[in-house]
């Protein structure tokens, strides 16, 4: 494994600090990391520091997460055991939910009054909806001081609303193109694309070599929509992006340009065969599985990608040839070319959860458990003190770009809330399916937002 470079050590604080820049708006981590033993964090050899007084009486809490991979499930099982041992009388019942099903199941549970005590939090508009419904706990004043110091104030940006914190972030998730270096070498591509001209050239070169250029799980909608989000991040100015949730007319010309960029790319046929019926993360035939097994060269995703791919390789290990580059620049775009789309894995307590819930969030945020989380999910930890565990070259490249980004923007479907966000995602798929043109896709988006 590669050691952590001095250059990244110099910028790791920026990985959290960049979130303090213009933070507006799944991430979709399924934690399908490679099989094998977890790190010391969450394991039997770990010596932990208790962060709060043990619960005074017996209490049982429910916990929903999306870590379907072996390393992620093992991490949570061991971490929960450690917490229960340190807090006699507390029991946590774990339920693993497939990532694509999580938001819908949470919404149903909240409507039925059966919200889990602890659950994965996306942030943005989805979190705002939970807050408006009185379903999520304000943990601002309940986070241990040493945890806040280790994280830095900026690290809580995606999990905050109006200056209050509603989730404990465990990872940061810069988005970009994750690619198989072996397939790039096979096609003779020696330089990563930096703009759409060089990206289109790379696509053509891969196709000429008989390689499916871009994996896309469009059946799940959100992976397809991320292409629109990233094009909009390049086409739209920072001011327009900042007003995403307040100015919902979407009449700036940049939105139409972004949809047209998607249409133009789609016309080059860069995707895997059958992309409209391909799922994102489940099985060897998923878009992540195609990259994992050398059947497609690259995929646009957040920093959960190495772990998801690792769970789908033939040997269950992370793909050694996986690398990363930033989303390409577009000619005439008004956005900063270093701006990055992203998010975080945060964990919330329901409004009705017992005090032990916040104790658990403080517990998992400790350095050793943050390191364990980053290892289990093959991602970037939100706790800057845990960055030393990151050795994957693709993650290191993503972390470097994230630390130098002019600003970071949360996924649009998360920012806009679940119902509107899903409608926007479906509008992009409708465009890719050839059922509407760019203008028609924009009209679908505007109608979804207007309907609220």
């Amino acid at each position: 494994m590669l050691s952590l470079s001095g250059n990244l050590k110099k910028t790791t604080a920026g990985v959290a600090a960049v979130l303090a820049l213009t933070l507006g708006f799944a991430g979709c981590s399924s934690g399908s990391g490679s099989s094998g033993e977890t790190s010391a964090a969450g394991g039997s050899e770990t010596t932990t520091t208790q962060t709060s007084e043990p619960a005074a009486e017996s209490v049982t809490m429910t916990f929903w997460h999306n870590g379907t991979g072996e390393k992620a499930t093992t991490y949570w099982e061991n971490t929960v055991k450690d917490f229960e041992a340190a807090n006699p009388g507390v029991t946590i019942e774990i339920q693993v939910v497939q990532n694509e099903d999580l938001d819908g199941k949470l919404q149903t549970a909240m409507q039925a009054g059966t919200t889990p005590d602890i659950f994965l939090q996306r942030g943005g508009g989805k979190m705002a909806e939970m807050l408006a419904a009185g379903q999520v706990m304000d943990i601002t004043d309940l986070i241990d001081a040493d945890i806040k110091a280790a994280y830095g104030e900026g690290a809580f940006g995606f999990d905050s609303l109006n200056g209050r914190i509603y989730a404990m972030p465990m990872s940061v998730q810069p988005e970009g193109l994750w690619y198989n270096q072996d397939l790039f070498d096979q096609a003779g591509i020696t330089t990563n694309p930096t703009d759409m001209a060089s990206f289109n050239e790379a696509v053509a070169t891969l196709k000429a070599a008989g390689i499916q250029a871009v994996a896309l799980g469009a059946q799940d909608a959100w992976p397809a929509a991320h292409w629109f989000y990233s094009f909009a991040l390049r086409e739209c100015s920072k001011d327009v992006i900042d007003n995403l949730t307040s100015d919902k007319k979407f009449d700036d010309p940049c939105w139409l340009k972004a949809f047209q960029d998607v249409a133009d790319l789609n016309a080059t046929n860069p995707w895997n065969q059958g992309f409209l019926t391909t799922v994102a993360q489940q099985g060897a035939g998923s878009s992540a599985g195609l990259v994992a097994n050398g059947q497609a060269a690259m995929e646009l995703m957040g920093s959960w990608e190495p772990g998801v791919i690792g769970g789908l390789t033939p040997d269950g290990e992370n793909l050694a040839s996986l690398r990363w580059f930033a989303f390409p620049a577009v000619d005439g775009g008004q956005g900063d070319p270093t701006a990055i789309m992203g998010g975080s894995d945060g964990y919330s307590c329901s409004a009705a959860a017992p005090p032990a819930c916040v104790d658990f969030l403080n517990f998992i945020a400790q350095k050793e458990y943050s390191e364990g989380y980053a290892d289990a999910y093959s991602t970037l930890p939100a706790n800057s003190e845990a960055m030393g565990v990151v050795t994957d070259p693709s993650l290191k490249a993503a972390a470097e770009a994230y630390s130098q980004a002019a600003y970071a923007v949360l996924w649009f479907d998360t920012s806009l809330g679940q119902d509107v966000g899903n409608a926007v995602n479906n509008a992009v798929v409708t465009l890719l399916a050839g059922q509407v043109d760019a203008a028609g896709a924009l009209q679908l988006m505007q109608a979804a937002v207007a309907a609220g």
Side-chain angles (χ1 to χ4, degrees):
M1 281 190 172
L2 299 175
S3 62
L4 189 64
S5 69
N7 188 40
L8 185 57
K9 286 181 181 177
K10 182 174 68 176
T11 60
T12 51
V15 175
V18 72
L19 293 173
L21 300 173
T22 307
L23 287 177
F25 324 111
C28 306
S29 166
S30 67
S32 298
S34 58
S35 62
E37 295 180 357
T38 60
S39 69
S44 59
E45 299 180 0
T46 301
T47 300
T48 63
T49 301
Q50 187 172 312
T51 60
S52 60
E53 293 296 324
E57 58 185 30
S58 296
V59 61
T60 298
M61 298 185 293
T62 53
F63 173 32
W64 289 11
H65 70 78
N66 68 343
T68 56
E70 182 179 347
K71 287 189 73 174
T73 56
T74 301
Y75 165 80
W76 282 121
E77 289 168 0
N78 289 339
T79 299
V80 164
K81 287 179 183 177
D82 288 349
F83 178 76
E84 291 174 342
N87 294 268
V90 177
T91 300
I92 298 178
E93 298 177 347
I94 301 173
Q95 181 172 341
V96 183
V97 183
Q98 173 62 38
N99 180 69
E100 281 69 31
D101 298 334
L102 183 63
D103 289 351
K105 288 192 173 184
L106 264 177
Q107 187 177 52
T108 299
M110 289 181 178
Q111 291 171 348
T114 57
T115 307
D117 296 292
I118 313 160
F119 55 89
L120 179 71
Q121 178 61 256
R122 312 284 194 191
K126 293 179 180 179
M127 186 169 71
E129 291 170 352
M130 296 176 188
L131 178 60
Q135 295 283 356
V136 64
M137 184 185 295
D138 182 343
I139 64 171
T140 310
D141 302 323
L142 303 174
I143 300 172
D144 288 350
D146 58 341
I147 297 299
K148 284 187 175 180
Y151 273 60
E153 290 297 326
F156 296 96
F158 283 138
D159 297 298
S160 299
L161 289 170
N162 301 319
R164 308 299 293 178
I165 302 170
Y166 295 94
M168 182 71 75
M170 289 297 288
S171 71
V172 290
Q173 300 169 333
E175 181 163 82
L177 276 300
W178 307 82
Y179 70 98
N180 187 330
Q181 183 68 62
D182 289 346
L183 294 185
F184 269 46
D185 292 345
Q186 181 180 326
I189 299 173
T190 58
T191 304
N192 288 340
T194 57
D195 54 27
M196 284 310 299
S198 56
F199 181 82
N200 287 332
E201 181 179 350
V203 167
T205 301
L206 288 163
K207 290 172 62 179
I211 300 168
Q212 296 185 114
V214 183
L216 181 61
Q219 180 171 313
D220 289 326
W222 61 265
H226 278 223
W227 284 91
F228 167 68
Y229 307 160
S230 291
F231 275 125
L233 188 65
R234 295 287 178 260
E235 292 285 10
C236 298
S237 70
K238 178 177 175 293
D239 287 342
V240 170
I241 296 294
D242 284 347
N243 293 320
L244 176 70
T245 58
S246 58
D247 181 7
K248 297 184 178 180
K249 293 180 289 187
F250 292 95
D251 55 1
D252 190 285
C254 69
W255 298 111
L256 179 59
K257 289 181 179 178
F259 274 120
Q260 189 59 55
D261 289 337
V262 174
D264 292 344
L265 178 61
N266 193 43
T268 70
N269 193 27
W271 323 116
N272 56 283
Q273 184 176 0
F275 70 93
L276 289 172
T277 56
T278 300
V279 298
Q281 299 177 339
Q282 302 175 56
S286 66
S287 55
L290 294 177
V291 178
N293 294 286
Q295 297 178 38
M298 54 184 156
E299 183 175 30
L300 179 66
M301 280 285 161
S303 63
W304 57 82
E305 183 78 338
V308 174
I309 285 177
L312 297 171
T313 57
D315 61 2
E317 297 292 336
N318 283 12
L319 188 65
S321 58
L322 191 68
R323 298 294 185 270
W324 183 93
F325 63 87
F327 194 86
V330 299
D331 288 342
Q334 299 301 303
D336 191 295
T338 69
I340 203 160
M341 188 69 63
S344 75
D345 271 355
Y347 291 85
S348 288
C349 292
S350 72
C357 182
V358 179
D359 293 343
F360 181 69
L361 297 189
N362 282 312
F363 188 88
I364 65 175
Q366 296 176 98
K367 179 177 181 287
E368 59 265 39
Y369 290 96
S370 292
E371 290 175 338
Y373 188 94
D375 178 69
Y377 281 79
S378 295
T379 191
L380 298 171
N383 184 335
S384 61
E385 293 181 352
M387 278 296 296
V389 75
V390 178
T391 59
D392 184 284
S394 63
L395 284 172
K396 290 167 69 175
E400 183 77 10
Y402 202 49
S403 70
Q404 297 178 5
Y407 47 93
V409 177
L410 186 60
W411 333 106
F412 291 171
D413 55 349
T414 301
S415 301
L416 293 169
Q418 182 162 327
D419 293 339
V420 174
N422 287 345
V424 173
N425 292 350
N426 290 333
V428 178
V429 175
T430 302
L431 172 63
L432 293 176
Q435 297 173 10
V436 296
D437 59 10
L442 178 59
Q443 290 173 357
L444 289 174
M445 177 179 178
Q446 291 169 329
V449 173

